Amino acid sequence: IRKEGLEKIAACKDVNELQQLRVLYLGKKGPIQEVMKSMKDLSAEERPIFGQKVNDVKKLMSEAIEARKEVLESEEMERRIESEKIDITLDGQKPSLGNLHPLMLVQQEIEDLFVGLGYQVGEGPEVELDLYNFERANIPKDHPARDMQDTFYINAEELLRTHTTAIQTRQLEEFAKEDKLPIKVICPGKVYRRDDDDATHSHQFMQCEGLVVGEGIRLSDLKGTLLFLAQSMFGKERTIRFRPSYFQFTEPSVEVDVSCHVCGGKGCPVCKGTGWIEILGAGMVHPNVLTMAGFDPKKVNGFAFGIGIERVAMLKYGISDIRNFYTNDIRFLKTFSRFE
Ligand code: PHE
């Protein structure tokens, strides 16, 4: 029995088969149990010797089964590892990563510049109240200045904001409540106007507003700030000039030109031969705007400026059609990955 059993165990190829062998040999109906039955026919002296022998065989076999089981299990594990092996030398597929939109690049560049000067970043809703977009910007209802910004109205009180000056008037109100001075905020965002889209007009575009309010703020502070902006964005050699202009919410108001970054001011097609490129509108915050927000214009004053993000992006990256920013042609957008 022993010899036959051990041979079978050694030849056994899988764990289930082994389990069957265990039942067969060591189970109640197995040959060993059968042999035990014959013990009763033996003499009292022979019985313990015989019993000892049978037990030895039993032990030997169950040990052999255990040992075989371990071998079989580790073989099985090896086979599994082998079959599930991953070939890490194979080339992977790189996920295609997106990159920042050119308008976002310009917005972030402006934000970074001004945050570096200690400004905070302010935001506001795109669906805005007439109150903040016009009234508080010193443009009352029925005032002809409203025609300068053809507006998408939602209803009599709400509209899609036409300029980031709406964020400015909200910020002013907030700071007046908290009575915190000076105010230094930069307010980027989307704005909307009823324009027919073409190469240089879009019914939706982006602006970035800057606002400083405190005591004794001067026009020369505005000029210094904008010179810093122009030189940071278009190169150290740039100069700027102020031209008188008109906005309801600033007095005096100026339009600001930067010397052409392409020809250096000599005259080229980009600056239409003038050497200058208009980049923003600005001025000293109108006393009415300060009063309506809750400040005393006799004690505080400030400057504000508004810059068109698309315009800056078109100049910086040499883009001739504003619609490129909004048609989401992936080939166009991908070219800006190198500016990140
Ligand atoms: N809000 C003006 C515009 O949309 C720009 C501007 C902002 C002018 C702040 C002066 C001061 O054109």
Side-chain angles (χ1 to χ4, degrees):
I1 295 169
R2 193 183 74 177
K3 185 160 175 269
E4 188 201 84
L6 289 179
E7 271 169 12
K8 280 196 181 163
I9 289 165
C12 183
K13 287 261 150 34
D14 79 33
V15 185
N16 288 337
E17 219 174 283
L18 200 63
Q19 181 59 19
Q20 280 167 14
L21 283 178
R22 181 200 295 277
V23 174
L24 193 66
Y25 280 94
L26 304 176
K28 281 210 182 76
K29 289 180 185 138
I32 293 177
Q33 216 56 25
E34 200 61 32
V35 169
M36 292 288 251
K37 279 184 198 152
S38 61
M39 282 234 299
K40 61 183 187 312
D41 305 329
L42 296 174
S43 68
E45 303 94 72
E46 284 174 318
R47 233 177 262 168
I49 302 165
F50 184 78
Q52 183 66 47
K53 278 204 168 149
V54 175
N55 273 338
D56 285 349
V57 172
K58 248 175 133 172
K59 202 169 153 225
L60 197 70
M61 289 187 75
S62 83
E63 278 170 2
I65 289 171
E66 277 314 307
R68 184 73 191 142
K69 194 173 154 198
E70 257 176 49
V71 172
L72 287 177
E73 278 175 352
S74 75
E75 277 175 10
E76 167 72 12
M77 182 61 84
E78 245 159 63
R79 237 178 291 131
R80 277 251 289 279
I81 289 172
E82 192 59 35
S83 73
E84 290 172 9
K85 200 155 95 180
I86 296 168
D87 183 358
I88 55 167
T89 63
L90 210 63
D91 278 348
Q93 278 185 353
K94 284 215 184 91
S96 81
L97 289 180
N99 56 278
L100 289 179
H101 193 279
L103 297 178
M104 192 49 71
L105 285 172
V106 172
Q107 178 183 328
Q108 288 187 351
E109 187 178 345
I110 297 175
E111 278 179 21
D112 285 351
L113 282 176
F114 282 95
V115 166
L117 294 179
Y119 286 55
Q120 286 172 272
V121 179
E123 283 175 353
E126 286 172 39
V127 176
E128 183 54 281
L129 294 174
D130 186 290
L131 175 72
Y132 292 107
N133 195 80
F134 287 132
E135 301 272 329
R136 290 282 181 88
N138 200 30
I139 312 175
K141 288 207 167 64
D142 305 321
H143 195 284
R146 287 205 179 199
D147 290 349
M148 283 164 65
Q149 301 182 2
D150 211 351
T151 309
F152 289 115
Y153 282 92
I154 308 266
N155 54 46
E157 297 306 324
E158 291 172 304
L159 44 78
L160 295 180
R161 71 180 173 208
T162 59
H163 52 180
T164 43
T165 304
I167 311 180
Q168 190 203 133
T169 58
R170 278 182 178 270
Q171 291 283 329
L172 277 171
E173 183 186 75
E174 292 266 305
F175 280 100
K177 266 193 224 138
E178 293 172 20
D179 201 21
K180 264 205 316 220
L181 284 176
I183 305 170
K184 288 163 89 178
V185 280
I186 192 87
C187 312
K190 292 193 186 110
V191 299
Y192 302 80
R193 289 185 200 177
R194 286 183 45 181
D195 248 334
D196 289 329
D197 293 0
D198 61 25
T200 53
H201 295 84
S202 171
H203 63 282
Q204 183 244 291
F205 56 103
M206 293 192 73
Q207 286 186 332
C208 190
E209 193 101 347
L211 171 70
V212 171
V213 174
E215 286 174 26
I217 309 286
R218 297 169 303 183
L219 193 68
S220 55
D221 296 324
L222 172 64
K223 193 159 189 181
T225 305
L226 296 180
L227 179 63
F228 167 76
L229 172 65
Q231 292 184 338
S232 305
M233 305 274 298
F234 293 104
K236 279 268 163 290
E237 317 76 44
R238 300 288 82 81
T239 53
I240 58 168
R241 72 174 183 190
F242 279 5
R243 279 182 292 110
S245 184
Y246 177 80
F247 298 106
Q248 281 283 119
F249 32 89
T250 46
E251 181 59 37
S253 301
V254 292
E255 248 154 308
V256 185
D257 298 338
V258 59
S259 59
C260 182
H261 60 297
V262 178
C263 61
K266 288 193 268 306
C268 72
V270 174
C271 55
K272 300 196 181 84
T274 64
W276 295 98
I277 299 172
E278 185 195 325
I279 55 163
L280 40 78
M284 302 305 286
V285 182
H286 197 289
N288 288 354
V289 172
L290 290 170
T291 307
M292 283 187 280
F295 284 108
D296 179 356
K298 288 200 190 73
K299 291 196 186 123
V300 302
N301 68 344
F303 66 69
F305 59 88
I307 189 164
I309 306 268
E310 278 80 357
R311 179 136 177 81
V312 173
M314 288 166 85
L315 290 168
K316 262 179 89 93
Y317 302 128
I319 298 161
S320 54
D321 193 325
I322 196 172
R323 289 168 292 199
N324 281 322
F325 294 124
Y326 296 105
T327 41
N328 289 335
D329 184 332
I330 205 80
R331 292 164 300 182
F332 170 78
L333 296 176
K334 277 274 174 212
T335 59
F336 295 92
S337 59
R338 68 204 153 101
F339 294 110
E340 268 180 31

